[in-house]
Amino acid sequence: MIEFQNVRKEYSDTVALNEISFTIADGEFVFIVGKSGAGKTTVTKVLLLEEKIDSGKILIGGDDISAYPDRLIPYHRRRIGMVFQNFRLFPDKTVYENVAFAMRAVGAASADIKTRVPMLLRMMSVEDRATHYPIELSGGEQQRVALARALANNPDIIVADEPTGNIDPQMSYTIMNLLLRINRLLGKTVIVVTHEKAMVDSFGQRVITIDGGSIVSDTPAAAAGDTTPEGGDGSEQ
Amino acid sequence: MNSEPVTEKKVENGAGNTPAPDGTEKKSRRRPGRGSGIFYFISEAFKGMRHHSVMTAASVIVLTSCLVLLGAFLMLLRNINVNLEKLGLLNEIAVFTDGSLTPEEVGAVGESIKKLDNVDTVKYVSKDSGLESMKEQYPDYSDLFESIKNNGDNPLSDSFIITYRDNSGVYELESELHKIPGVVKVNNRLDYAVKVGNFKNGMSFVFAWFFVLLFTVSVFIIFNTIRLAVEGRRNEIDIMRYIGATNSFIITPFIIEGSLIGGVSGILAFFADMGLYRLAVSKLSAELDILEYLPFRSFAALLIIGFLAVGILSGVLTSLFSIRKNLKN
Ligand SMILES: Nc1ncnc2c1ncn2[C@@H]1O[C@H](COP(=O)(O)OP(=O)(O)O)[C@@H](O)[C@H]1O
Ligand SMILES: [Mg+2]
């Protein structure tokens, strides 16, 4: 469980998060939406301990992450797979190497890398791109590689910050559906940050809306089953 | 699932046998791949050096010059000392006795010398052995010395070679030696020794400044080379941090880069000094053959070990410092 308790984060002249509180259960899928500058990225940064909060508490599984010494921060980050708007793939590494590197960087054995990377690429339908460099891929393909990399070390939580910001609308649905599948099939807690309110609504998932660093609404998932919007069922290429 | 606390161990072990996304747990009997890790670090370091090859070359050149200078200075000093020792100029005073003294009287002179403050050692040199050593020193005239010896009219007198403890008390010692009955001549090479000493000090001073200057410049250049390396990979470093790479994993390539710059400089400086030294000795020994020149191999071990130590240490420390300054958390 992820708990934000009265979390406050100030930058020099801005209050980015104004004492926000919310709880996300294990295995939950949550959209965090809001206008540009609302504080959405700040939520992801404090969760990854990329930024320190000024007051309040962030608990993961009851553990106060603000109390972690610097030494533990990398290990904390391994529990969270991060996906960004601009993909952030290593430009001079192939698709395969991008995913493999994430595993190597945390000391995974080569045997595990050899079996796991192809499986992840297959799961994201980019296995035929394994030897290509990021620049040779479309935005949608790059984001799927980024998803594979985020899953490389089998994190409990996936955080995607505007994952569809640089992707055409059609592919955006595919990416969202992949995130949904990661949640449903792999049981990951998935947090998707976006400003595309319209698309979010079509998924019928829980939506936390923030504005000016405060939560203005928290709408639970639609009660009746999964709403799968037109535009993809998640298995399309 | 999310309720387990974060520990280094959990994650280190976890990376090896994480459950596959389809839920099946796969066990790994292998330990995390260390071999591929080292290979990765070294290849990253080389990649970095290729990226900013001009700065890397500049670092190596300046650090090499710095070490060459250090080595040259060291070799010069050692040669000067050897020659001073050979010429007996180091803390030595020769005291000559009256030729008419009996052996007992000469012995008494020796006793009086020993009693003086500031006298360290006293060596008796009989007039015969004095002649002998002159014969050795000037082999071209050995026949002459031989005939002098055989005629029994050795012009030399018995003497004492004194070493002293304290340079500043030498003139006092000299006058006290003169006061001893039977002493006819006190040969103090102090003026000469002082001159050479001053020369050595002056030279050390100039060399030290050059060294400090060059060393500062090379530290500065290595610092900036590593800074450029870090900056050129800022984006990749950020990604690595998000992936959960530890700081040591992230900085190791840069440290290796620094140590390679230092190590290569050390090796280059060694061979440069070897070439320079041999050239200098071959030129000088043709012109100034009365001096003794130490063979290069008497410095080789000291130089290579010293250069590698100074080079690698300064490379590594400067890289570390640069990374600390240029890489947040
Ligand atoms: N590093 C920073 N320094 C100063 N202000 C910042 C910094 N990062 C974000 N902000 C400010 O904090 C507020 C929230 O930013 P952010 O969380 O990035 O918004 P969002 O992701 O919702 O667009 C904005 O007003 C932004 O200008
Ligand atoms: Mg943002």
Side-chain angles (χ1 to χ4, degrees):
Chain A
M1 194 160 74
I2 302 168
E3 287 174 83
F4 273 54
Q5 296 178 354
N6 304 316
V7 172
R8 185 180 175 87
K9 173 65 192 175
E10 268 180 57
Y11 293 111
S12 46
D13 53 351
T14 328
V15 179
L17 297 179
N18 190 8
E19 317 242 329
I20 66 167
S21 303
F22 60 84
T23 302
I24 297 173
D26 289 351
E28 203 177 351
F29 187 104
V30 184
F31 283 114
I32 296 181
V33 299
K35 296 193 295 266
S36 176
K40 308 182 295 295
T41 296
T42 306
V43 170
T44 69
K45 283 187 173 169
V46 296
L47 184 59
L48 270 111
L49 294 176
E50 172 72 7
E51 295 282 356
K52 293 221 146 69
I53 57 176
D54 298 306
S55 64
K57 261 188 190 162
I58 301 175
L59 308 178
I60 294 184
D63 221 12
D64 183 356
I65 67 170
S66 325
Y68 290 159
D70 285 354
R71 180 176 56 80
L72 278 185
I73 292 177
Y75 301 94
H76 164 66
R77 288 181 179 150
R78 293 175 192 183
R79 300 191 297 192
I80 304 173
M82 195 63 207
V83 175
F84 304 92
Q85 174 171 1
N86 52 0
F87 321 126
R88 293 207 168 185
L89 299 173
F90 296 103
D92 59 352
K93 288 185 164 58
T94 64
V95 163
Y96 181 94
E97 288 164 352
N98 259 280
V99 181
F101 182 82
M103 294 183 70
R104 194 168 301 131
V106 304
S110 356
D112 294 324
I113 295 173
K114 282 199 188 96
T115 56
R116 191 168 170 85
V117 176
M119 183 197 64
L120 288 168
L121 295 181
R122 262 198 313 282
M123 197 161 74
M124 294 299 143
S125 307
V126 284
E127 70 271 30
D128 56 333
R129 290 281 184 267
T131 58
H132 290 249
Y133 287 89
I135 200 166
E136 302 165 344
L137 307 183
S138 73
E141 288 170 327
Q142 290 192 54
Q143 199 57 299
R144 283 182 280 159
V145 175
L147 276 172
R149 188 181 63 187
L151 288 168
N153 294 311
N154 199 28
D156 302 328
I157 305 163
I158 295 286
V159 175
D161 188 358
E162 307 271 9
T164 58
N166 284 348
I167 294 172
D168 63 78
Q170 187 65 24
M171 183 54 77
S172 295
Y173 278 97
T174 307
I175 296 294
M176 288 298 185
N177 276 311
L178 280 171
L179 284 161
L180 213 54
R181 269 171 35 135
I182 287 168
N183 169 251
R184 290 295 135 81
L185 301 178
L186 309 181
K188 309 290 182 201
T189 306
V190 175
I191 302 171
V192 179
V193 167
T194 180
H195 65 274
E196 297 177 58
K197 186 95 174 79
M199 182 167 63
V200 163
D201 289 342
S202 68
F203 279 87
Q205 298 296 322
R206 178 179 172 195
V207 180
I208 297 175
T209 308
I210 57 175
D211 191 22
S214 301
I215 293 181
V216 295
S217 73
D218 188 343
T219 321
D226 287 346
T227 346
T228 305
E230 83 284 13
D233 60 4
S235 60
E236 66 159 24
Q237 300 301 298
Chain B
M1 197 175 205
N2 292 348
S3 52
E4 291 168 66
V6 179
T7 61
E8 293 174 33
K9 222 177 223 103
K10 179 210 162 193
V11 188
E12 271 171 1
N13 293 339
N17 49 29
T18 48
D22 53 18
T24 56
E25 191 85 22
K26 59 191 166 61
K27 285 267 174 277
S28 167
R29 262 162 274 108
R30 291 229 207 148
R31 310 239 312 146
R34 276 274 165 244
S36 66
I38 287 161
F39 184 75
Y40 157 76
F41 290 133
I42 293 173
S43 86
E44 287 299 299
F46 274 106
K47 222 185 273 172
M49 292 197 292
R50 267 207 309 279
H51 256 265
H52 36 271
S53 47
V54 175
M55 283 297 279
T56 306
S59 304
V60 169
I61 289 168
V62 178
L63 185 55
T64 302
S65 320
C66 179
L67 294 174
V68 165
L69 188 81
L70 185 67
F73 177 55
L74 195 117
M75 294 190 290
L76 186 60
L77 270 191
R78 291 268 290 257
N79 274 294
I80 289 175
N81 281 343
V82 160
N83 281 288
L84 289 180
E85 266 165 34
K86 189 189 166 205
L87 296 171
L89 291 177
L90 290 177
N91 299 11
E92 272 184 23
I93 297 178
V95 177
F96 297 94
T97 57
D98 191 336
S100 63
L101 295 186
T102 64
E104 290 75 28
E105 284 167 327
V106 172
V109 170
E111 288 307 311
S112 313
I113 293 173
K114 273 183 198 149
K115 279 184 198 128
L116 294 174
D117 286 346
N118 201 12
V119 167
D120 192 11
T121 63
V122 178
K123 195 174 92 192
Y124 169 68
V125 182
S126 72
K127 51 184 168 186
D128 289 342
S129 64
L131 195 66
E132 230 10 81
S133 73
M134 285 187 90
K135 207 174 93 180
E136 273 166 28
Q137 217 168 337
Y138 304 98
D140 293 351
Y141 302 98
S142 60
D143 292 347
L144 178 66
F145 292 121
E146 193 59 31
S147 69
I148 289 173
K149 192 176 159 192
N150 294 339
N151 292 343
D153 51 2
N154 186 347
L156 300 175
S157 55
D158 294 324
S159 62
F160 296 93
I161 303 294
I162 302 169
T163 62
Y164 51 86
R165 295 192 191 92
D166 175 20
N167 264 335
S168 60
V170 169
Y171 293 109
E172 205 187 322
L173 176 63
E174 202 179 348
S175 69
E176 279 169 352
L177 287 168
H178 273 295
K179 285 182 202 143
I180 296 173
V183 168
V184 289
K185 195 176 165 205
V186 177
N187 213 347
N188 177 15
R189 261 108 156 228
L190 187 73
D191 288 347
Y192 197 14
V194 162
K195 266 185 207 143
V196 175
N198 283 343
F199 171 71
K200 267 164 60 179
N201 287 343
M203 200 178 63
S204 306
F205 186 75
V206 172
F207 264 104
W209 271 109
F210 257 110
F211 178 77
V212 167
L213 188 79
L214 271 179
F215 194 73
T216 308
V217 172
S218 49
V219 164
F220 178 78
I221 294 182
I222 296 174
F223 181 89
N224 280 292
T225 305
I226 300 299
R227 184 175 61 81
L228 278 186
V230 170
E231 241 149 50
R233 308 190 57 212
R234 175 90 54 197
N235 205 18
E236 272 144 294
I237 291 170
D238 269 347
I239 304 170
M240 284 196 249
R241 291 174 51 241
Y242 272 115
I243 287 172
T246 55
N247 263 346
S248 61
F249 181 86
I250 293 171
I251 70 176
T252 302
F254 301 110
I255 303 296
I256 291 182
E257 191 175 329
S259 70
L260 282 175
I261 289 174
V264 168
S265 301
I267 292 169
L268 288 181
F270 176 79
F271 286 109
D273 264 344
M274 182 165 84
L276 281 176
Y277 187 77
R278 290 194 170 149
L279 186 74
V281 168
S282 72
K283 290 257 185 255
L284 281 173
S285 56
E287 311 253 326
L288 271 169
D289 60 345
I290 54 159
L291 292 180
E292 181 178 334
Y293 300 97
L294 292 166
F296 182 76
R297 80 186 124 71
S298 67
F299 305 110
L302 178 71
L303 287 191
I304 191 69
I305 292 169
F307 284 178
L308 284 178
V310 174
I312 291 174
L313 212 65
S314 54
V316 166
L317 292 181
T318 309
S319 309
L320 257 178
F321 183 60
S322 180
I323 291 163
R324 276 179 65 102
K325 286 273 168 193
N326 293 297
L327 198 70
K328 54 166 188 169
N329 112 352

